Amino acid sequence: MQDNATEVTAAGIARLAGVGRAAVSNWRRRHSDFPRPVGGTETSPSFALAEVESWLRKQGKLAEVPLRERVWQQLSGHPEGPVTALTHAGCLLLLIHDRPTVWLEVSAGSDERLSEMLPGALREVFTPRFGPESVMNTAPAVNTRAAVNTADVVHPAPPAADVRSGVHTHPAVNTHPALHLPTGPELLPSAPLLRGVAELAAELGARQTFEFLLGRHLDANPRQYTLTPADLAALMADLAGPARTVLDPACGTGALLRAAATRPDQELYAQDSAPELAALTTLRLALQTWSTVRGAVGDSLRADAHPRLRADAILCHPPFNERNWGHDELAYDPRWEYGFPARTESELAWVQHALARLKDGGAGVLLMPPAAASRRSGRRIRADLLRRGALRAVIALPVGAAPPYNIPLHLWVLRRPEKAPAQPEVLLVDVGQFAGEGRGGPDWRAVREAVLDAWQAFGRPGRFAERPGLARALPVIALLDDDVDLAPARHLPPRTATDGAEQLTAVREHLGETLRLTADLTPSRADVAQPARWPLTTIGELARGGALMLRTGGNGGHARVPVLTDHDVLFGADPSGTLPESEEEAVLTEPGDIVVPVLGGGSVARVIDARTGGAALGRNLVLLRPDPAALDPWFLAGFLRGTANNRQASSYASTATRLDVRRLQLPRLPLDEQRRYGERFRALDEFERALRHAGRLGEQLVRGMYDGLTDGTVAPD
């Protein structure tokens, strides 16, 4: 059953038909029978999905809407908003996951019957999964029309406590469950969506369906959510170690708890001040694991939902630089065991909240801004954390490890002390050297190996062996000066002069070899020729004729698949990106494919080789897979890079240029003639790659020489 109330934007229509947005604008101008807008704004109208599907099918532009796309359009165009729709979908998927036969009985009959019976079926799942409080209040789980002002949430009276022992005697617990049992009237508008979701779950599986829909939602709202990369989450979980009870007091989309959820007997506690994130993360965790999941809504500093919890491990990516974190109303809170944080030190409030919720000996790992290690306003708290052995390690990550991507964030590894250490030490690690090029992100394998190797060695008996430029264990007394500066780079011994000189020598030799290769690859003198008058065709015509296949970049995929980004294509780099994790089938590249960026206005087309083949296609990329019996890939890629060709196929918005790949042209030539051109284009590509490599080596040599001369490891003569 199609929901006639579901709306779709021009971008959604383009996705349905597999065209660019410019094509949709052309259809609206050229076809008087194109569906009229039913909502949205003048600059961003929305259309009835059923009318759009009917028109596309009548025009022969759509044989059948793929099930995934139909469900997504129903969700994104839901009258109560996509978050409410996604929450209802998640509740249904959990029912299908836990009690698949119950859904068959509930779904029989009309939408009215479904909405009446579903709350009772969900109750039988919610109670064992989320606790009885989740079914005590049938208010909507999420109100997308109004934001929650956490400043208006009343923090419970501080419980009587022995802070050092961690025993609280106050009987009350101020809980605000993340999920509430939806009522029949609330579910009725979602009935058509829920039937489609169930159909998709039969194809993909319940968990995979939720990951696909959630990944699409996150990808469609990139500025609304701060995501913790999966590689970083895995590293933080490894540093914390195995744990039965795990808390994330600022859970976001649940990446950290998902990384820590490795066994069925765990108890996972999540809290977030954003109601939609708390609800979606609770559902996500319940679908991924059989662990007990306790999700809550509220600001953990002002309205802690788990005041009596003593967790084995805490993982947290707290909000940074928050001045309105509760400084005025929390002055006498018992959590400030190591000192009352200044108004500008919200991160140190989160550190002490984590320590207060850990059991004795429990581990905490927090992602921190680098300023928290050195700001003068926090030096007294840092000093007390060091003296009492609560801060065990500070790890400086490479630039690009997590948002904000332009600064090198830190990891703080905490341990709630069981007793004061006799000779406390702290581990300082700096893995900034493993930063990737441009926006490519760090070399996570190298980061993981270096950090975990140093952390494990630090935990073993005996003296920690220093690793120049990488890791060092310092006695706490050496850090207790006027600044208590914990930035690792300021305390690590530099690499030895021998190592630096040897590295510079190797770079210089490599640069020399590359420059000689570049000279050999320099194109020969260009002969003058008359402009050719070839018969032309377009990529769109070739795709319709079966000479090539055209695919667009995906919105989700398996987390472990390397992703080729538009940045990688533009700068000739290896696959470096990630996609929101889901079970959506990613578009995988093959050797001989041509990948073209559609944003930015550059004339670029990259032929996929054996090294890059197998990577997933990222956003803002179009893949062309030519039939080798009809098209030479290098011939195709070379002509797609023509400046005039790109100009005639581009459209211009106020801030960006978008390429309509279907309008790109190339001459109709016999295959032998194509191969002649293809060989020349391939030689130009080799020359271009050699130039890029020489430029990178040159920059590395210059930076190394500056560093060596300024730190005394290179003599000026």
Side-chain angles (χ1 to χ4, degrees), residues 154-160 168 170-172 174 302 307 332-334:
V154 179
H155 192 275
H168 286 254
H170 195 285
N174 183 15
R302 286 193 176 93
Y332 300 102
D333 195 288

Side-chain angles (χ1 to χ4, degrees), residues 15-242:
R15 190 189 298 275
L16 285 170
V19 298
R21 291 188 61 176
V24 178
S25 298
N26 288 335
W27 293 342
R28 292 185 63 196
R29 289 195 300 268
R30 293 167 50 195
H31 297 277
S32 59
D33 62 339
F34 192 87
R36 301 297 180 190
V38 297
T41 65
E42 184 176 347
T43 57
S44 181
S46 59
F47 307 82
L49 177 59
E51 294 179 8
V52 168
E53 289 181 22
S54 176
W55 187 87
L56 290 173
R57 195 172 288 112
K58 184 172 66 175
Q59 294 290 326
K61 303 179 186 299
L62 180 69
E64 184 58 48
V65 180
L67 178 59
R68 294 185 187 196
E69 199 60 44
R70 179 189 296 277
V71 171
W72 167 248
Q73 295 298 346
Q74 287 180 314
L75 187 147
S76 61
H78 194 281
E80 294 300 320
V83 173
T84 296
L86 189 53
T87 304
H88 290 174
C91 292
L92 169 68
L93 289 168
L94 185 61
L95 174 65
I96 294 174
H97 181 270
D98 287 8
R99 302 188 178 188
T101 59
V102 175
W103 164 249
L104 299 177
E105 179 183 350
V106 170
S107 61
S110 66
D111 289 351
E112 289 73 13
R113 179 180 181 275
L114 184 155
S115 62
E116 290 173 2
M117 294 187 65
L118 189 54
L122 289 175
R123 181 185 299 272
E124 300 303 315
V125 174
F126 271 41
T127 302
R129 285 302 213 125
F130 308 124
E133 61 271 16
S134 65
V135 300
M136 291 173 62
N137 185 348
T138 56
V142 179
N143 180 0
T144 59
R145 307 288 182 187
V148 172
N149 182 0
T150 54
D152 295 334
V153 178
V154 179
H155 192 275
D162 176 354
V163 177
R164 294 188 182 276
S165 66
V167 177
H168 286 254
T169 58
H170 195 285
V173 179
N174 183 15
T175 59
H176 304 276
L179 275 172
H180 295 274
L181 185 69
T183 65
E186 292 163 2
L187 288 168
L188 182 58
S190 300
L193 166 68
L194 297 181
R195 294 186 188 277
V197 167
E199 186 179 353
L200 187 57
E203 179 182 309
L204 300 180
R207 182 179 70 84
Q208 294 86 346
T209 298
F210 189 73
E211 288 298 317
F212 161 68
L213 296 173
L214 178 61
R216 275 281 187 96
H217 175 67
L218 297 177
D219 193 53
N221 302 275
R223 297 183 180 179
Q224 189 173 342
Y225 305 106
T226 299
L227 306 181
T228 306
D231 289 305
L232 176 58
L235 175 61
M236 293 173 67
D238 286 340
L239 287 169

Side-chain angles (χ1 to χ4, degrees), residues 204-433:
L204 300 180
R207 182 179 70 84
Q208 294 86 346
T209 298
F210 189 73
E211 288 298 317
F212 161 68
L213 296 173
L214 178 61
R216 275 281 187 96
H217 175 67
L218 297 177
D219 193 53
N221 302 275
R223 297 183 180 179
Q224 189 173 342
Y225 305 106
T226 299
L227 306 181
T228 306
D231 289 305
L232 176 58
L235 175 61
M236 293 173 67
D238 286 340
L239 287 169
R244 185 175 178 276
T245 56
V246 188
L247 166 67
D248 184 346
C251 64
T253 59
L256 294 174
L257 288 174
R258 294 180 72 220
T262 57
R263 47 194 244 208
D265 64 336
Q266 286 177 298
E267 296 177 7
L268 306 178
Y269 294 84
Q271 184 169 351
D272 201 276
S273 58
E276 69 275 11
L277 286 180
L280 296 177
T281 293
T282 301
L283 286 166
R284 193 181 198 187
L285 293 171
L287 281 163
Q288 176 170 302
T289 175
W290 289 101
S291 303
T292 301
V293 180
R294 294 291 183 263
V297 176
D299 182 343
S300 289
L301 295 183
R302 286 193 176 93
D304 183 13
H306 311 290
R308 293 203 297 259
L309 177 65
R310 295 298 173 264
D312 296 316
I314 291 179
L315 303 173
C316 187
H317 178 173
F320 297 159
N321 303 319
E322 290 282 331
R323 288 182 175 268
N324 186 27
W325 58 268
H327 177 270
D328 294 336
E329 61 264 44
L330 299 176
Y332 300 102
D333 195 288
R335 289 172 291 182
W336 315 142
E337 186 177 352
Y338 300 86
F340 181 38
R343 190 182 301 276
T344 57
E345 294 288 354
S346 63
E347 296 85 10
L348 294 183
W350 285 99
V351 165
Q352 295 191 76
H353 172 76
L355 287 167
R357 296 295 164 262
L358 284 171
K359 72 175 186 180
D360 290 347
V365 183
L366 275 72
L367 187 66
M368 302 282 282
S374 55
R375 279 190 297 240
R376 288 190 60 82
S377 54
R379 66 189 186 278
R380 293 182 182 274
I381 294 176
R382 293 195 299 270
D384 207 26
L385 290 169
L386 291 173
R387 287 191 192 97
R388 297 169 58 180
L391 180 59
R392 304 296 293 130
V394 176
I395 300 163
L397 296 169
V399 171
Y405 289 107
N406 60 330
I407 59 174
L409 301 176
H410 289 180
L411 291 178
W412 284 25
V413 183
L414 311 173
R415 187 85 66 188
R416 181 168 180 84
E418 299 177 79
K419 59 181 180 179
Q423 294 181 327
E425 288 188 330
V426 64
L427 176 67
L428 301 177
V429 180
D430 189 339
V431 288
Q433 60 187 288

Side-chain angles (χ1 to χ4, degrees), residues 220 482 498 548 582:
D482 289 341
T498 302
L548 59 80
S582 75

Side-chain angles (χ1 to χ4, degrees), residues 557-578:
H558 301 286
R560 299 300 178 186
V561 177
V563 176
L564 188 68
T565 68
D566 55 348
H567 179 271
D568 300 332
V569 175
L570 290 169
F571 293 93
D574 289 338
S576 65
T578 58

